[in-house]
Amino acid sequence: MRVLFAADGWDVWAPALREACPEMELVQDAAADSVDAIIYAPNGGGCDFAAYPSAKLVQSLWAGVERIAPDETLTQPLARMVDPSLEQGMVEFCAGWTLRLHLEMDRFAQDGRWRNEAVPPLASARRVTVFGAGALGGAVAKALRRLGFDVATWSASGRSTGDIPALAGQDFDAALARSDIAILLLPDTAGTRDLFDAEAIARMPEGAALINPGRGTLIDDGALIAALDRGHLRHAVLDVFRTEPLPEDHPFWSHDNITVTPHIAAATRPETGAPVAAENIRRAMRGETPLHLVDRSRGY
Ligand code: NDP
């Protein structure tokens, strides 16, 4: 079987993919009608999928597929990346920043002042809502629950994650109202864009904090800054932005109550991502339904 690799990172991905799937002939260029499957990420440039009529699968190397799903040249099934390292990375990112916000670590400056006025509450007194209960949101919710936080998830269908309270689409206001810390792990779709606008943010508790490793489009930037300026929100940790890299003159960079991280929350690693891609390509070759298929009508 011939698989076209159309993404950045050939030097690291090719050995891992060949090890995971020795029967695959991995190429960077091939006669269009000889390609059986395509491994793709937008960092390798655009792809005219219509030029590969015999390809049975497009396997994304990324979890977020908002730049692939709407592509009109795409007629093949599209699978997104669900990878154990991606999950572990996201769990570590969210747990780390949640603990920083929960313990108010930034209160303790090296300035000779003995700040013992208040002891932080235990995690059980801190309500964390994870918006998005998918592969990543579910893993983050479970990890935070293990740390003792009062966790709930919110998703369109109210998808459950073990016995963690699961709120559904219509419960958005209730989900906001219980968000001492909100973690956004939703995809970028028509249904999620600007979900966190001025009205939604105003429904969060006074002094709440927000962590966004989902997508920049989930938040109305101006509404977020206004809420931080008036003290309604105390801090936002932002990993993803409408424009990336975040422009140097963007007000997020200079805001005292915003932490900017450069889209590093979680990455697909070749050693764990390659076996996932290999398994999916084998499935497609056998005529079986690949795992983690994207529903293009929903956009994720
Ligand atoms: P999944 O597709 O597994 O889960 C998506 C979740 O979002 C589901 O629970 C889904 O609900 C919910 N959802 C989608 N649309 C809506 C809506 N309109 N209203 C309410 N809920 C909605 O995705 P993952 O968990 O794997 O990834 C989530 C996102 O994380 C990715 O799309 C990507 O944008 C981002 N990401 C960021 C990274 C980073 O480094 N910053 C790295 C990797 C991913 P339901 O369960 O009902 O379908």
Side-chain angles (χ1 to χ4, degrees):
M1 91 187 81
R2 183 170 292 159
V3 177
L4 178 71
F5 183 86
D8 204 14
W10 169 258
D11 290 348
V12 285
W13 276 100
L17 285 162
R18 286 182 176 134
E19 189 184 336
C21 192
E23 70 271 33
M24 145 166 86
E25 185 199 345
L26 191 68
V27 295
Q28 285 184 288
D29 198 13
D33 57 2
S34 70
V35 169
D36 296 308
I38 302 172
I39 294 176
Y40 179 70
N43 59 7
C47 185
D48 177 8
F49 298 106
Y52 301 96
S54 9
K56 295 181 183 62
L57 176 71
V58 173
Q59 171 66 53
S60 168
L61 290 182
W62 293 359
V65 290
E66 70 278 1
R67 286 166 64 185
I68 318 174
D71 191 319
E72 284 175 3
T73 71
L74 182 69
T75 52
Q76 302 87 345
L78 170 66
R80 51 184 218 97
M81 181 51 73
V82 175
D83 153 43
S85 295
L86 201 56
E87 243 176 67
Q88 179 62 21
M90 190 58 83
V91 163
E92 292 179 15
F93 180 90
C94 291
W97 291 106
T98 299
L99 283 169
R100 172 189 164 196
L101 293 166
H102 164 60
L103 296 173
E104 297 178 29
M105 290 176 176
D106 300 309
R107 211 154 54 91
F108 304 102
Q110 288 287 92
D111 60 359
R113 223 186 104 199
W114 190 252
R115 289 180 169 81
N116 68 340
E117 306 85 8
V119 173
L122 290 177
S124 54
R126 195 81 76 180
R127 297 164 301 172
V128 179
T129 310
V130 183
F131 291 83
L136 299 178
V140 167
K142 279 192 220 159
L144 293 177
R145 161 68 83 83
R146 278 197 297 275
L147 284 171
F149 286 100
D150 178 357
V151 183
T153 59
W154 177 81
S155 67
S157 63
R159 193 195 300 199
S160 60
T161 304
D163 63 351
I164 293 172
L167 300 166
Q170 67 274 13
D171 306 321
F172 188 49
D173 288 353
L176 292 167
R178 70 169 312 286
S179 298
D180 297 328
I181 300 176
I183 300 179
L184 278 45
L185 276 167
L186 295 160
D188 172 12
T189 70
T192 62
R193 258 162 240 151
D194 290 317
L195 198 60
F196 285 77
D197 59 7
E199 201 185 318
I201 292 171
R203 291 182 198 279
M204 292 172 68
E206 199 69 30
L210 181 150
I211 302 173
N212 184 18
R215 281 295 180 259
T217 52
L218 301 174
I219 299 178
D220 175 334
D221 291 4
L224 175 65
I225 289 175
L228 289 162
D229 284 347
R230 67 174 192 278
H232 179 64
L233 292 188
R234 70 181 157 105
H235 201 92
V237 177
L238 307 174
D239 185 56
V240 284
F241 306 92
R242 285 168 189 270
T243 306
E244 295 183 5
L246 185 64
E248 270 176 38
D249 59 352
H250 195 287
F252 284 169
W253 281 118
S254 52
H255 202 289
D256 285 344
N257 295 324
I258 290 180
T259 302
V260 169
T261 58
H263 201 146
I264 43 73
T268 312
R269 288 171 165 78
E271 59 274 24
T272 50
V276 175
E279 165 64 12
N280 243 3
I281 288 168
R282 288 196 186 104
R283 281 176 178 249
M285 293 307 122
R286 292 195 297 258
E288 295 169 13
T289 308
L291 301 169
H292 319 306
L293 272 184
V294 173
D295 176 346
R296 293 182 63 202
S297 65
R298 295 191 307 181
Y300 68 98

